[in-house]
Amino acid sequence: MSEHIVRSYDTDLQGLRQRIAEMGGIAEKMLVDSVAALARHDKPLAQTVIASDPRLDVLHREVEENAILTIARRQPLAVDLRETISAIRIAGDVERIGDLAKNIAKRALAIGDDFQPHKIVVGLRHMNDLVMGQLKDVLDAYAQKDTAKALDVWKRDGAIDALYTSLFRELLTYMMEDPRNISFCTHLLFCAKNIERIGDHTTNIAETVHYLVTAETLAIDRPKNDRSIDTTVEAGA
């Protein structure tokens, strides 16, 4: 492969990495601001989160289109092909994280100034802090091609599932105590689920980083501590 082609290919890959880094920064801010808007009843902040999503969508399309063009033009092999495919996967997960953060912001607008149980809001913020830590770490793992850091994120996801189950049970209790709580508790339940799903997307990225670095998929099952389905059965029994 000529030096010119190698240099051009490196430029293509660097462009993909830069777009994903920008996507990660946008998604992180959307997530932080969406939960802050929910907790503080801050409608302008919620609107700002919603308005951020189109830029994320544009970057996602650019990553997909440029990655496909890179494969077509350069016909990469081995690790170079894995990096191009991994960029497509990671961009998809980050774009979905933005969608979930946007949904939290929309629910913050829908709830408005309705009463929100302090314990639930504190739980949501704690859950979001854990997820934010995972998101930051896994994006660093991608940038540094650090599979150990990626696997650490992957292993931490069970704690978020357990916290989601706790919030799920608490919200069910509020709804059973007073039917007037059902509307805003349903919105909070979806917000909690969105945060839990964002945690799942960070573990998806962790798995992709592991594949990128090692050329192997993880051979063990992802740790899961989401007992909300069991809780639903118990509540309906």
Side-chain angles (χ1 to χ4, degrees), residues 190-216:
F190 276 107
C191 289
K193 185 60 180 177
N194 285 348
I195 296 171
E196 187 268 339
R197 286 293 296 131
I198 290 170
D200 288 343
H201 283 288
T202 68
T203 57
N204 287 348
I205 296 171
E207 290 172 0
T208 300
V209 172
H210 178 78
Y211 163 76
L212 167 62
V213 176
T214 68
E216 297 175 353

Side-chain angles (χ1 to χ4, degrees), residues 72-88:
R73 287 198 304 257
R74 315 298 180 199
Q75 298 182 349
L77 300 174
V79 66
D80 292 333
L81 180 59
R82 291 203 308 275
E83 177 147 8
T84 309
I85 292 171
S86 296
I88 295 173

